[in-house]
Amino acid sequence: MCICHLACRPIKPTIVGEQISSKLGAHYHCIICSATITRRTDMLGHVKRHVNKGETKSRYIAASTAKSSNEILKETDTDIQVFPNYSIPQKTDSYFNPKMKLNRQLIFCTLAALAKERKPLECLDAFGATGIMGLQWAKHLGDAVKVTINDLNENSVTLIQKNCHLNKLKVVVDSEEKEEGDALEEDDTLGDIQVTRMDANVLMHLRSFDFIHLDPFGTSVNYLDSAFRNVRNLGIVSVTSTDISSLYAKAQHVARRHYGCNIVRTEYYKELAARIVVAAVARAAARCNKGIEVLFAVALEHFVLVVVRVLRGPTSADETAKKIQYLIHCQWCEERIFQKDGNMVEENPYRQLPCNCHGSMPGKTAIELGPLWSSSLFNTGFLKRMLFESLHHSLDDIQPLVKTLIFESECAPQSQCSNLSKQEENGVFIKTTDDTTVDIYSAQGKRKSSEAMINTAKKQKVEASAAHPPFYYNIHRHSIKGMNMPKLKKFLCCLSQAGFRVSRTHFDPMGIRTDAPLMQFKSILLKYSTPTYTGGQSEGPMQSASEDTVADRVEMSVKDKAEASGCRRW
């Protein structure tokens, strides 16, 4: 074992006085695995461990080559071959994230629901990577879809073609069947998939699609204009954004750069992120003289998914642009309200807030956030059709989430919709089409009479008033000091009995979506809370207090929490 003085091992430079020594560190090379170690004793122990395991140089090389072979994974009855280190973006060409299974199933149910309206659908997975999403579409929906999987990386395109043959699917390149798939007989194939190697913006400019899914590694704002350029009328564009550091207000300068939006960290930051992405999508659609209808928007731990339906025409574009507004947010009590329409400058914009924090505290207490999407985030009818498709294709993982989205869109507690689960399984209630935009067009895509369009527009205006209230409150965030909160289900019933619309939200497990003002929310929370006793005393319901006492205690608790957490949060 010989010592080496070459520059094989990087050594940090050491500062001696005012000079930096540039000596090369001496080290040793392992004769089995070629590892470099500085100390001789450590190298002897390293070699002994190889000997004890029975590892020689030939065995070690064989084991390393076997480990580097491609692995085959299976998801939703679809086999895919992945490269080594497939879950580390910096070390692989085709990134595959197993945690995005929920995202893929949501998009699959969206496409399955759209396929019931008209067929065949031309679908595009703009960033294929391993091709798992497009393979699931073609394998389970069959002739109802014509799938195109695109990727700019040559290694990813080769891997997509291998995965197509692995799932007995024909590969079409430039409208011609690939010759490598001749080993598969035509009777054994399940369908055709077109694989392209092109920039996503160029491909979406050249061709028209009914369904486009964008899932780049990070933000999607660079591809929105191209997606809405040639997407067909009543088509669907789904956008997955994984730049949660900027959307969740951890990197505010990046959110301002990508989305042109001013945000801060709030208790409803996940819904704020969803409305930021929808606003960016709406602006891109309006630039192409198109409007959007949001089918659903989901913000989970590691991604934000927005699915919208495209409505052609400048009228739809104008109506969509009107729904992009600024939000006034109070930094002390977390009260919020969308800014009123109009171009006139108000003398005191704090008057729009329901709270009186600006009058009771010196200085500026509110901040303007946005621009944001101010309308509804969910389409109840389309979500019910998605739930039916999840039951039909046995996608059990997303069924609880879709049910929560349905209750959240109606803003009604689940106890009031107890019959929904029975009707779902029978397929009677879910399969009916409640999507009002589909009623304008027949199954062949032809326009109906003007009377039907007028009736549908009137129906949309009536349903717009019943849309779910924006944003939500976290029950722990507004807890009263020295009081035990009621159970979440009990508190939902109390708010509902008080005459307010209320439901849980998928954005926050302890969040409550309601149209009750914050003062009323805190008053009801205090009324049904119990005091914290010490010394082993039994807990019981709190005695009824006067409204003035309740309001005073709520206001004091707000001031205490603001003083305690104001410096830390802001």
Side-chain angles (χ1 to χ4, degrees), residues 148-167:
T148 300
I149 305 178
N150 176 71
D151 203 289
L152 188 59
N153 190 298
E154 185 177 359
N155 295 331
S156 297
V157 172
T158 304
L159 185 63
I160 292 170
Q161 294 171 358
K162 292 181 180 178
N163 289 331
C164 290
H165 298 315
L166 188 63
N167 290 275

Side-chain angles (χ1 to χ4, degrees), residues 215-360:
D215 187 9
F217 189 75
T219 181
S220 303
V221 293
N222 298 328
Y223 306 95
L224 294 178
D225 290 327
S226 302
F228 284 99
R229 181 65 59 186
N230 283 330
V231 63
R232 294 192 176 98
N233 192 24
L234 291 182
I236 289 180
V237 176
S238 64
V239 178
T240 300
S241 300
T242 54
D243 54 334
I244 58 174
S245 61
S246 59
L247 292 174
Y248 289 174
K250 296 179 181 178
Q252 301 176 9
H253 62 287
V254 180
R256 190 177 298 108
R257 184 202 318 148
H258 287 167
Y259 301 95
C261 184
N262 179 37
I263 57 173
V264 295
R265 185 80 168 192
T266 62
E267 66 172 323
Y268 49 92
Y269 66 95
K270 287 190 176 181
E271 184 171 347
L272 201 65
R275 292 184 180 274
I276 290 172
V277 178
V278 176
V281 172
R283 289 196 298 270
R287 286 193 291 269
C288 300
N289 283 335
K290 295 182 178 69
I292 64 168
E293 178 193 3
V294 182
L295 300 181
F296 67 91
V298 177
L300 298 178
E301 183 180 357
H302 50 281
F303 70 90
V304 176
L305 173 63
V306 171
V307 178
V308 300
R309 187 187 292 276
V310 181
L311 307 175
R312 276 190 176 180
T315 304
S316 300
D318 293 339
E319 292 295 328
T320 298
K322 291 178 182 179
K323 298 176 182 178
I324 302 176
Q325 299 178 0
Y326 284 88
L327 182 75
I328 301 178
H329 169 82
C330 181
Q331 301 186 70
W332 293 100
C333 66
E334 296 275 351
E335 186 62 275
R336 74 297 301 238
I337 189 171
F338 280 105
Q339 198 170 7
K340 295 180 180 179
D341 296 334
N343 298 326
M344 300 301 294
V345 178
E346 291 193 14
E347 181 180 359
N348 185 9
Y350 292 99
R351 294 178 181 175
Q352 298 184 23
L353 284 169
C355 64
N356 192 27
C357 296
H358 178 68
S360 60

Side-chain angles (χ1 to χ4, degrees), residues 1 28-37 43 46-47 50 57:
M1 183 166 46
Y28 298 90
H29 289 268
C30 178
I31 59 175
I32 298 177
C33 65
S34 300
T36 57
I37 298 178
M43 176 56 73
H46 178 81
V47 174
H50 280 303
K57 187 173 184 179

Side-chain angles (χ1 to χ4, degrees), residues 388 391 421-432:
F388 174 78
L391 294 166
S421 59
K422 297 180 181 179
Q423 296 172 348
E424 290 162 4
E425 296 176 358
N426 298 331
V428 178
F429 181 69
I430 304 298
K431 199 171 182 179
T432 57

Side-chain angles (χ1 to χ4, degrees), residues 357-373:
C357 296
H358 178 68
S360 60
M361 300 178 185
K364 298 179 180 180
T365 59
I367 188 172
E368 189 180 66
L369 306 180
L372 305 172
W373 178 257

Side-chain angles (χ1 to χ4, degrees), residues 406-480:
I406 293 173
F407 295 129
E408 188 175 359
S409 64
E410 297 175 344
C411 199
Q414 298 187 11
S415 59
Q416 297 182 6
C417 306
S418 58
N419 296 327
L420 181 61
S421 59
K422 297 180 181 179
Q423 296 172 348
E424 290 162 4
E425 296 176 358
N426 298 331
V428 178
F429 181 69
I430 304 298
K431 199 171 182 179
T432 57
T433 303
D434 289 341
D435 192 4
T436 54
T437 57
V438 182
D439 296 338
I440 304 177
Y441 295 83
S442 60
Q444 290 79 15
K446 297 181 180 179
R447 189 179 295 272
K448 286 187 177 181
S449 62
S450 59
E451 296 180 358
M453 295 176 60
I454 295 173
N455 295 333
T456 305
K458 291 180 179 179
K459 185 178 179 182
Q460 287 180 346
K461 290 182 179 180
V462 173
E463 292 180 352
S465 61
H468 64 85
F471 303 111
Y472 54 90
Y473 299 107
N474 187 294
I475 189 173
H476 284 171
R477 184 88 167 186
H478 300 285
S479 60
I480 312 300

